[in-house]
C-alpha cells in the first residue's frame, strides 16, 4: 500500500519534513540497507587486505589497480542513464494510477436516470452495479497477486456475491471457446441491461441511455488500460542496462574509492580515513534512486509502495450501492436555507443598482431630434 504522509507536512515550518526522515515503513532505508551492508563489508574486507595482508610489492600493484578503477569508473554515464530511467518509470506509474477504474460517476448516473423505487428498477440498478464491480474485480485479479489470492476462481466470486451460478456457467462455457480474459462479458451484460431498462421505460430518453452507456465504455477502457500496462512493460534491455551500469559502477568503486597511503603522494589521496563518508552517500543516493524505479515499475504487487487493490475493491462495492440504490429517506427535503433572505436582499439591491444606472445613463443620451446649440446661433 502506498504510504501516506501528507498529513505530516501540512505546514512548511522548520522541521516539518525532518520527522519524515525517521520513518521506516516505505522508507529508502528499508530498501537499500541490505545493499549498503554488502558494500560496506566488501569495502572493509579489501581495505583490511590492503593495509594488513599485502607486502610492499603487492600493495604497489593494488594501488595502481585502485587508481585505474577510480579513473575509468567515472566514464559510466550513471547519472544520465539512471535519471532518465527513473523519470520514465514515474511517468509510467502515474499513468497506471490514472487508469484505475472508479464506478462512482456511473452509479450517480444510474440513480439519476433509472428512476423508481419499485423492485424492478432497483434490481436493474443493483445488477448493473454488480456487473461493473465484477468486471473491475476480475481485472484486478489478472494483474494483482493479492486479489488473485483472495479470488482464485469463479466459485469464490459466487461465494462473495459478485456472481450468480447462471453467470458462472456462462463464463465457464466461454472458457472452452477462448483463453482471453472475460472482463468484457460483464460490460456487455450491463449494456444490454441498460438497453432493456430503456425499452421498459425505466430510462426516460435516449440521451440518458447514451450517458450511462458511455460511462460503462469509459470504465471498460480503464480496465483495458490496466491490462495493457501489465502486459506491455518497459523493454527489458533498458532495465538490464541501467541495473548493470549502477552495480558495475559501485563494484569498481569498492576498489577505486579505497584510501591509499598518503605518503606516496597519489592524486586525490592526500588524507587517510577509515570511513568512506562520501562514497557511502553516493552509494545511498544512486542505489536508492534505482530502488525507487524497481518499486514503482510494477505497483500491482504487495510491497509498501504498491496500490492496495483489495481495500479498493471493498471500497468500490460499498460506495457503488450507497450511490446507486439510495433510499428516499436518504435524500434531503428542499427548504429555504439560512441564506435565503440574504440572497433575496442581494438580488433586490442588484436590481435597484441596475435601475439607477439605467436612469442615469438615459439622462445623458442625446436624442436624434435634439439640436446641439453652440455659443453662436449662426452656422460656422
Amino acid at each position: 500500500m502506498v504510504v501516506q504522509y501528507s498529513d505530516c507536512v501540512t505546514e512548511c515550518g522548520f522541521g516539518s519534513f525532518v520527522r519524515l526522515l525517521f520513518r521506516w515503513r516505505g522508507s529508502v532505508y528499508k530498501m537499500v540497507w541490505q545493499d549498503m551492508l554488502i558494500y560496506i563489508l566488501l569495502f572493509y574486507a579489501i581495505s583490511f587486505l590492503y593495509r594488513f595482508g599485502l607486502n610492499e610489492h603487492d600493495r604497489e600493484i593494488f594501488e595502481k589497480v585502485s587508481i585505474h578503477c577510480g579513473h575509468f569508473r567515472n566514464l559510466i554515464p550513471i547519472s544520465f542513464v539512471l535519471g532518465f530511467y527513473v523519470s520514465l518509470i514515474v511517468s509510467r506509474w502515474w499513468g497506471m494510477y490514472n487508469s484505475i477504474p472508479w464506478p462512482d460517476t456511473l452509479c450517480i448516473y444510474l440513480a439519476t436516470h433509472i428512476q423508481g423505487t419499485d423492485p424492478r428498477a432497483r434490481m436493474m440498478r443493483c445488477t448493473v452495479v454488480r456487473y461493473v464491480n465484477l468486471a473491475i474485480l476480475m481485472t484486478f485479479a489478472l494483474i494483482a497477486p493479492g486479489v488473485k489470492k483472495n479470488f482464485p476462481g469463479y466459485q469464490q466470486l459466487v461465494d462473495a456475491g459478485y456472481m450468480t451460478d447462471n453467470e458462472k456457467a456462462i463464463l465457464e462455457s466461454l472458457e472452452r471457446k477462448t483463453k482471453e480474459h472475460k472482463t468484457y462479458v460483464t460490460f456487455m451484460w450491463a449494456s444490454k441491461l441498460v438497453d432493456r431498462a430503456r425499452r421498459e421505460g425505466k430510462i426516460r430518453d435516449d440521451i440518458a441511455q447514451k450517458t450511462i452507456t458511455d460511462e460503462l465504455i469509459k470504465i471498460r477502457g480503464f480496465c483495458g488500460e490496466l491490462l495493457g500496462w501489465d502486459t506491455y512493460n518497459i523493454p527489458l534491455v533498458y532495465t538490464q542496462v541501467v541495473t548493470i551500469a549502477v552495480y558495475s559502477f559501485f563494484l569498481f568503486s569498492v576498489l577505486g574509492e579505497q584510501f591509499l597511503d598518503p605518503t606516496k603522494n597519489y592524486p586525490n589521496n592526500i588524507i587517510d580515513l577509515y570511513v568512506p563518508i562520501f562514497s557511502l552517500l553516493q552509494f545511498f543516493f544512486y542505489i536508492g534512486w534505482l530502488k525507487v524505479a524497481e518499486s514503482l515499475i510494477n505497483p500491482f504487487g504487495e510491497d509498501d509502495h504498491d496500490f492496495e487493490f483489495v481495500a479498493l475493491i471493498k471500497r468500490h462495492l460499498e460506495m457503488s450501492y450507497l450511490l446507486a440504490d439510495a433510499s428516499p429517506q436518504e435524500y434531503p427535503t428542499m427548504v429555504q436555507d439560512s441564506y435565503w433572505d440574504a440572497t433575496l436582499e442581494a438580488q433586490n439591491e442588484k436590481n435597484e443598482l441596475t435601475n439607477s444606472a439605467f436612469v442615469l445613463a438615459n439622462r445623458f443620451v442625446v436624442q436624434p431630434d435634439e439640436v446641439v446649440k453652440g455659443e453662436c446661433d449662426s452656422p460656422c
Side-chain angles (χ1 to χ4, degrees):
M1 181 178 180
V2 178
V3 178
Q4 299 180 359
Y5 60 90
S6 301
D7 55 337
C8 298
V9 290
T10 55
E11 298 180 356
C12 297
F14 177 78
S16 59
F17 283 86
V18 175
R19 55 178 173 267
L20 297 178
L21 302 179
F22 299 97
R23 288 194 173 190
W24 176 256
R25 182 173 178 269
S27 66
V28 65
Y29 320 117
K30 185 177 180 180
M31 291 192 296
V32 306
W33 75 268
Q34 295 176 335
D35 300 84
M36 178 74 77
L37 179 61
I38 294 175
Y39 180 80
I40 293 174
L41 292 177
L42 286 176
F43 184 91
Y44 280 108
I46 295 175
S47 179
F48 289 157
L49 178 64
Y50 164 69
R51 296 174 185 273
F52 308 109
L54 299 179
N55 54 36
E56 187 64 25
H57 176 70
D58 293 337
R59 291 183 66 181
E60 292 180 357
I61 296 176
F62 177 85
E63 289 164 355
K64 294 179 181 179
V65 173
S66 177
I67 295 174
H68 181 79
C69 292
H71 174 71
F72 285 98
R73 76 184 177 94
N74 294 322
L75 298 179
I76 301 176
I78 183 173
S79 298
F80 171 76
V81 174
L82 187 57
F84 185 77
Y85 181 70
V86 173
S87 177
L88 180 62
I89 292 295
V90 172
S91 299
R92 172 184 167 87
W93 178 87
W94 183 245
M96 292 179 178
Y97 174 77
N98 288 329
S99 298
I100 296 177
W102 298 82
D104 301 33
T105 303
L106 173 66
C107 296
I108 294 175
Y109 288 158
L110 291 173
T112 304
H113 297 301
I114 302 182
Q115 301 176 354
T117 57
D118 56 287
R120 183 65 175 174
R122 291 191 59 202
M123 184 181 299
M124 286 182 172
R125 290 195 298 267
C126 293
T127 304
V128 172
V129 165
R130 182 170 59 83
Y131 286 157
V132 172
N133 280 274
L134 174 60
I136 295 175
L137 175 55
M138 293 172 64
T139 302
F140 288 171
L142 291 173
I143 63 176
V147 179
K148 185 66 174 178
K149 189 185 304 179
N150 292 331
F151 301 95
Y154 291 144
Q155 186 57 45
Q156 286 72 26
L157 296 175
V158 175
D159 297 337
Y162 285 92
M163 186 187 302
T164 63
D165 291 327
N166 176 252
E167 295 161 355
K168 172 175 172 288
I170 295 174
L171 292 178
E172 287 177 343
S173 65
L174 290 175
E175 290 286 352
R176 295 187 289 268
K177 297 180 180 180
T178 178
K179 295 300 181 183
E180 295 294 331
H181 62 85
K182 308 302 181 296
T183 57
Y184 70 91
V185 178
T186 55
F187 285 105
M188 182 182 64
W189 292 345
S191 298
K192 296 294 289 184
L193 187 55
V194 171
D195 181 68
R196 183 188 303 175
R198 175 70 183 102
R199 286 186 278 108
E200 293 183 5
K202 300 299 182 181
I203 300 178
R204 62 177 178 269
D205 53 36
D206 295 336
I207 297 177
Q209 179 186 358
K210 184 180 183 302
T211 301
I212 298 175
T213 305
D214 288 345
E215 189 64 25
L216 283 171
I217 300 302
K218 182 179 178 181
I219 298 176
R220 167 66 184 89
F222 285 145
C223 293
E225 288 181 9
L226 285 180
L227 295 176
W229 287 117
D230 183 67
T231 303
Y232 302 101
N233 301 313
I234 293 176
L236 179 61
V237 291
Y238 195 11
T239 303
Q240 290 175 338
V241 166
V242 174
T243 305
I244 293 174
V246 173
Y247 282 103
S248 61
F249 179 86
F250 288 106
L251 181 62
F252 290 122
S253 296
V254 173
L255 294 172
E257 292 294 326
Q258 291 291 331
F259 294 105
L260 305 179
D261 189 356
T263 60
K264 296 184 179 181
N265 297 322
Y266 289 119
N268 301 323
N269 283 277
I270 60 177
I271 189 172
D272 187 11
L273 297 176
Y274 289 97
V275 179
I277 299 176
F278 294 101
S279 298
L280 293 179
L281 286 176
Q282 190 179 45
F283 183 89
F284 181 81
F285 295 144
Y286 281 140
I287 293 297
W289 213 359
L290 180 63
K291 292 297 182 180
V292 168
E294 291 178 355
S295 62
L296 297 183
I297 195 171
N298 183 18
F300 301 145
E302 298 179 297
D303 297 332
D304 292 339
H305 306 278
D306 294 336
F307 302 141
E308 187 61 43
F309 281 124
V310 176
L312 192 61
I313 288 172
K314 297 178 181 178
R315 181 263 171 206
H316 281 355
L317 184 65
E318 180 178 355
M319 186 58 64
S320 297
Y321 282 99
L322 286 175
L323 292 175
D325 194 37
S327 62
Q329 292 78 15
E330 296 176 5
Y331 294 106
T333 56
M334 187 171 57
V335 296
Q336 296 180 1
D337 55 23
S338 57
Y339 296 99
W340 177 263
D341 295 333
T343 303
L344 291 179
E345 292 177 1
Q347 186 64 33
N348 293 332
E349 292 178 0
K350 182 179 179 180
N351 294 335
E352 291 177 0
L353 290 175
T354 303
N355 295 332
S356 300
F358 181 76
V359 172
L360 185 62
N362 288 336
R363 182 178 302 174
F364 295 98
V365 173
V366 178
Q367 301 298 330
D369 54 347
E370 291 184 359
V371 178
V372 178
K373 297 183 178 180
E375 295 182 355
C376 59
D377 297 334
S378 61
C380 299

